[in-house]
Amino acid sequence: MLELRGVTKRFSGIPAVDNVSFTAHAGVVTGYLGPNGSGKSTTIKMITGLLEPSEGSILYNGTPIEQDLIAHKMRLGYVPEESQLYPHLTGAEFLEMVGQLRALDEKHLREKIDGLLHLFLLYDDRYVAMSSYSKGMRQKILLAAALLHNPEILLLDEPFTGLDINSALVLRNLIQELARRGKVILFSTHELDIVERICSHVVILHKGRLAADDSIEHLRVLMSLPKLEDIFAQLAVEQDTEKVTGEIVELIEL
Amino acid sequence: MGDSRARRQFRVLYRNFLAQIVDTELIATHGDPSRLLAQIGALLISISIILAIEILPQYRKATAAQIRLGAWGDQEFLIGITIAVIGVFTVFAWDSIFPSRHDTLVLASLPIRQNTISRAKLAATGTGLAVCLIAINGVIGLAYPFAAGGVRTFFAYWTTVTAAGLWIFCSLVALQGLAALTLTYRRFLKVSNALQVASFFAILAVFFLTPGPLDLDVSHGIPDAARLLPSFWFLGLFQTLNASAQPTFAPLASRALATLIAAVSTAALSYAIAQYQVTRRIVEEPDIVPADRAHPPSRVFPWVVRRATANWKPLDRAILLFIARTLTRSRLHRNLMAVFGGLGLAISITYAKALLYGNSQMYALARRYGFQTPHWYEPNTPLMAVGFILLILAVLGARVVFSLPLAVRANWIFRITDMQSPAAYFAALRKSVLTLIALPVWLVVAIFYLSVWGGPEALGHMLVLFCIGLIAVDLALSGFRKMPFACSYLPGASNLRIRLPIYGTVFLAAVDIGTRMERNAFESAARSMLLASALVALLSYARRRWNKLASWQLEQLQFDARPITDVAPLDLRGDGAYGRNQRYLDVLDTPPEPSLRQRAWRFARKTAIATACLCVGGFVYEQISELRNPLPPRQGRSIDIGGRSLNYSCVGQGSPAVIFENGSGGAGMNWTGLQREVAQYTRACWYDRAGQGWSDAAPFPHPASAIADDLHRLLGAAPIAPPYVLAGLSSGGICVRVYAKRYPPDVAGMVLIDSAHVDEDDSITPPGGGYIPYFPQGLSVLAQILRPIGALRLIMPAGALSPFETRTFAESLKEEMVYESHVEARAVRSLGDIPLIVLTAGRHRVNPPESPVEAREQLARENKWIEAQKQLARLSTHAQQRVFPEAQHNLLADRPQEVLKAVVDVVSAVRASSHPGSATN
C-alpha cells in the first residue's frame, strides 16, 4: 500500500499541499479529487519522486520511498496530466526509449510494444512522429509507457483526457482489472461520474488540505447526498455557479 | 473604421513577425524584438568599423590613378561581405519569410485579411534586411566612397551594395518560393531545411573561396572562373556607375542587372502565389497522411545501430538513439550544427584555398610573387589542419547543441526513469558523442588521408587525430551534467559573445602551431616519441578529469538551468535522510576539498617529476645522437692566444693571405673546399671563432670587436703576415668590417659574402626590445642548459644540423650578433679604396611561403635586402656588387665558384694596385 503521512509542500513559504495524510491500498482504485490548484498534481509529483516534500513522508509497504528511490521508480507507472512528449520521435521509438531506460529485456520489449500499439489502435501510426498525433493518441502512448514494465503502483493524472469513447471504455476496464490484480492505483480526474463508476475510495483535496478520505458509499451516508458531484460541491466548490454563469453572460453582451 | 482596424492589425502583426525573423531560442531578447535587432545591428556596425580601420589608411597616400587601378580588390571585398551578411541573414530568417503552419492555424480563425498578413510579413522582413545592410555598410559606406572618389562614388557604392543585398535576398526567396509551389507541403518542409543548410554552406564557401587582389591577375582580363562570382558582377556595376576608367570589370555590370531583375521578379511572383497556395495546403492537409504511415523514418539506421551496439547496455543505446534522432529531426539543432559545420568549412577553405585553386588562373598573381601551391597529394600543413578543424568543431558544436532543449517539459520521462547513477548517464553520453560525432569525422578524414597520401604520414596523422578527438570529447563533456536536449536553457547565460572570440583565437592559434609541430615531429623518431608522450599525457589528464567530475558522489543529472530555490529542512529527525540525493551523513564523510596551498604543492611535485623524467630522457637522447653524429677528425691546429686557444688551418703560399671568417654557429672547416682552390693562388687560412669548431669557449659578452681582437692575436701568434684579404660570410661579414676598422693597415682587400647588414634607414633593435634586462645572457645560459638534455636538437630542423651546430649554438649566442656587433659594424663608415666585392644572394627563404601574402612579403624583404646591400658597396671607392637573385643565403654552398671568383678577383686587384700590402711573401 501507498501511504502519505503529514505530507506538506511549500513553494516560497506558501503551502501548496498542507499536512495531507491518506492511504491507497492495493487492489483498490483510489480517486484523488479536487478543484484546480488544490494540490493534486503536486501530491502526485511528490509520490513519483519528481518533487521532494517539505515535511512528512511517503511510504510504500511501510518503507519511506526516499530510502530507495530507484526501487520506487522501478515499480511506479505514471501518466502525467499534460501529455508532454518528444514531438520528433514516433510512438514506437518513444516506447522503445522508455523500455531501454527502464532496462527491460529487449526481446520482450519489442513484443510488448507491438502488442500495446495494436491494442491501443496505434499500430498503423507507429512510424508517424508524435507531433502529428492527436491528443488522444498521445494519451494512449503515455498509458502504454506507464504499463510497459508491469508496475505495482499506477498514478494516473487525468488519464481520460482526449480519449475517444472506445478507448475510454478500455481504460476504465483496464483500471479495474489492474486493481483486481493487486496494483495500487491512484487516479486523479475531474470527471466525477467515472470516479463513481470505478473508484471505491476517494480522497478530496481543497486548498491543499484534506477535505475527505473515505469510501464513496460512506461519504454518501455521512453527508446524506446521493451523488458524488453534490458531495464534491459541498466540500470543495466555493463559487455560486449560477451567479457566475449569469455574470459571464452579462459581460459578453456588453 | 475598417482602415483603422487594418492599420492596427498591421502594426500588431508587424511587431510579431519582426520577433520571429531570427530564431529567438538562440539569442536572449526577453521578448523584445527591437532589442534583438539592436544587438545584431551593433555587431554588424562593429565589423564595419573594423573594416574602415583596416582599409582606409592606405588611401591617404594613394593617388587617384592608383585608386582607380588598384582599389578594385577592396571594392570587391566590401560587396562580397555585403552579399555574405545579407545571405546569412536570409538563411537565418528562412522560416519566417513564407507562411508557416503556426501563422496559418493561429491567424486563420481571426478576422484578418490575407493581404494585411502578407504586407506585415514583407515589412518585417524588409526591416531586418535594411538593418543588416545599413549596419554592415554604415561606417565603411560613409568613409570609403569619399576616400576613394567623391559624391558620385558614394551614390555608386550605396546603389551597388543595395542591389547586391537585394539580389542575394531575392535569389534565396525565389529558391524557397519555387520549392513551395512545386512540392507538397510536407515534402516542402523537408526539402526547405535541406535548401536552407545548403544555401548557408554555399554562401560561406563562395565568400571564402573568392580570390583577392593578391591572388588574381586581372591585367589580361578576368579569368573565366572569376566571372562566375556574383561579387565580381556587382563590382562591374559599381565601376560602371562610378565611371571608372578601368574597363576590365564593366562588362560584368550587365550580368549583375540581368540576374537582379530575374531574382526580384521570380521572388515577387513566387512569394505572391505561395502566400495563398501554401496557406491553403496547410489548412487542407491532414495531420497524418497515408504516406507517413507507409514509410518508417529509417530502416537502415535502426538495423545498423542494433548490430553495432549489440553488446551495449540498454541505457547507452537509449541515449545514443535519442541523440541521433534529435540531431537529425530537430530543425533548430540541425541548423545550429550546420552553423558549426559552416564555421569549419570557412576555416578549412581559408587554410586550403591554395590547394583548391592549384595552378589555375585564379592564383596567377600569387605565383608571380613566388608562391608555389603545395601538392595536395603530398602531406602538407593545410590539409592536416583541416582534419583537426572539422573534428574539434564537430565536438564543440555537439556540446553547444546538447545544451539547447527540445520540448523541455517532456524531460519528465528521464526524471521518472532516473534509476541509474549519474555516472552511468555521463558514460552513455560520452559513448554517444564518440560514436555519433567523432567517429564519422574520423572515418571521412581517414578515407581521404589514406587514399590521397597513404603511407606512414597518413597513419601517423590519423593516430594524432584519434588522440585529439578523445581529448576534445573528454574536455568538452567534463562538467557537462545535463541530459542532452532535456535541460532548460538560459539564453545569454553562456556569454557566447565574450567566449567565442577568445576561444576562437586560441583555437586557431592552437591548430596552426599544432599542425606545424606535428609535421616537424614526423621528421625524426625522437620528436615523434615526444609528441606521442605529450598526447598520452594529455589523454590521461582529460580522461581523469572527466572521470573525476562524472563520478563525484554528490553529482546529479541536471534538468533545470536554475536550481529550484527550495530550502530543504534540517535533518532534525537524525535519520540520515537530509534530502533525496544528498545524504547528510555522506556530506559529513566527504573529504574536504584540498586547499590552494595543497593543490599548488601537488602540481609542483608532479611538474618536477615530469620535468626530471623529460631531462633524463633528453640527456640519453642527446648522448645517443652525439654518438651517432660524431665530430669529424680534427682539422687544423690549435694556438694559444692568451689563456685560451683557437683552431686554425692554412695552406698555400703567397700574399696577400686570404682569411676566411665564418658565419654564426658554423665551423671553419666549411671553407676547406674553397681553401684548396684559393691556395692555388695565394695563402688561404680559415679558423674557428671562440666557442666554434675546435676552439675554446669565449667569455661573455663577445661582440664583433672582441672577435676581431681574437683574430688579430691569432694572426700574430700563428704567425700569418699581413696584408690580408678578409672574406666574411653572413655574420662573418660584420667581423671582417670591424677588424678592418680596428686594424686598417693589415687589410688590403675584402669580400663580403651576403654579409649581415641592417639597412641604414632602419634602427638596430636591442635584444628583447631593450626591455628585458640580461636578455642575451639569459638566452645563452638557457641554451647551455637545454643543449645537454637534447632540447636544442629537438627544436632545430632535422637534417639541418652539422655535428658542430648543436654544440656551438649556445656559444654563438654569446657573440651578440644581433645588437652590439651591428652597432660596431654601422660605425664602419669607410674602408678607403681597398678592393671590395659585395656578393648578394636574392633568396632568404628557409621554408617556402605558405600563402600569397607571405610570398609577397618575402619578396619585398628580399628586394629590400638586395637594395640595402648596395650600401656595403659604398664602403670603398673601389667596390662592386654582384647579385645572384636566385641564390640562397649560404653562397659558399650555393655558388662556390662565384665566391672563388670574387676572392681571386680581389687578390688580383690587391696585387695590381699600389697598396703597400700588396707585395707577395
Side-chain angles (χ1 to χ4, degrees), chain B residues 478-561:
Chain B
S478 68
F480 185 77
R481 298 180 289 122
K482 304 176 184 176
M483 177 58 65
F485 321 116
C487 178
S488 58
Y489 171 75
L490 292 175
S494 57
N495 281 325
L496 270 181
R497 283 169 292 193
I498 297 165
R499 285 188 187 188
L500 211 56
I502 297 171
Y503 288 169
T505 310
V506 169
F507 167 65
L508 290 174
V511 165
D512 198 41
I513 294 168
T515 321
R516 289 171 201 273
M517 280 172 62
E518 187 192 342
R519 279 227 66 200
N520 283 337
F522 287 154
E523 289 172 1
S524 85
R527 287 185 203 159
S528 300
M529 280 179 58
L530 189 64
L531 177 67
S533 309
L535 284 173
V536 166
L538 272 173
L539 259 173
S540 163
Y541 164 74
R543 191 79 174 101
R544 275 188 299 115
R545 185 184 153 96
W546 180 87
N547 256 332
K548 186 181 168 190
L549 289 168
S551 53
W552 190 47
Q553 62 174 331
L554 295 182
E555 196 62 87
Q556 298 181 39
L557 211 54
Q558 186 182 2
F559 292 102
D560 292 297

Side-chain angles (χ1 to χ4, degrees), chain A residues 3 30 56 70 98 106 125 140 149 224 230 232 240 244 249:
Chain A
E3 191 184 345
T30 305
I70 288 178
V98 171
E106 286 281 339
D125 298 312
K140 290 184 206 176
H149 57 295
S224 304
D230 300 324
F232 188 84
D240 180 344
V244 166
V249 170

Side-chain angles (χ1 to χ4, degrees), chain B residues 772-790:
Chain B
I772 306 172
Y774 304 107
F775 181 75
Q777 296 94 314
L779 208 59
S780 178
V781 167
L782 183 65
Q784 299 279 12
I785 294 168
L786 291 179
R787 193 198 71 75
I789 59 171

Side-chain angles (χ1 to χ4, degrees), chain B residues 46 138 150 205 255 277 281 285 340 378 534 594 688 692 771 780 902:
Chain B
S46 60
R255 200 176 284 196
Q277 205 171 50
R281 281 185 194 164
E285 210 162 70
F340 279 88
E378 289 170 356
D688 292 324
Q692 293 183 4
Y771 302 112
S780 178

Side-chain angles (χ1 to χ4, degrees), chain B residues 104-124:
Chain B
T104 306
L105 296 179
V106 169
L107 300 176
S109 60
L110 298 174
I112 308 175
R113 288 208 188 104
Q114 185 60 42
N115 183 25
T116 308
I117 299 172
S118 304
R119 284 190 300 116
K121 232 183 208 311
L122 269 176

Side-chain angles (χ1 to χ4, degrees), chain B residues 811-830:
Chain B
E811 291 297 324
S812 68
L813 288 178
K814 291 182 184 174
E815 294 176 349
E816 277 197 298
M817 288 304 174
V818 175
Y819 180 59
E820 211 171 290
S821 299
H822 279 290
V823 171
E824 291 171 355
R826 185 170 274 187
V828 179
R829 305 310 296 178
S830 171

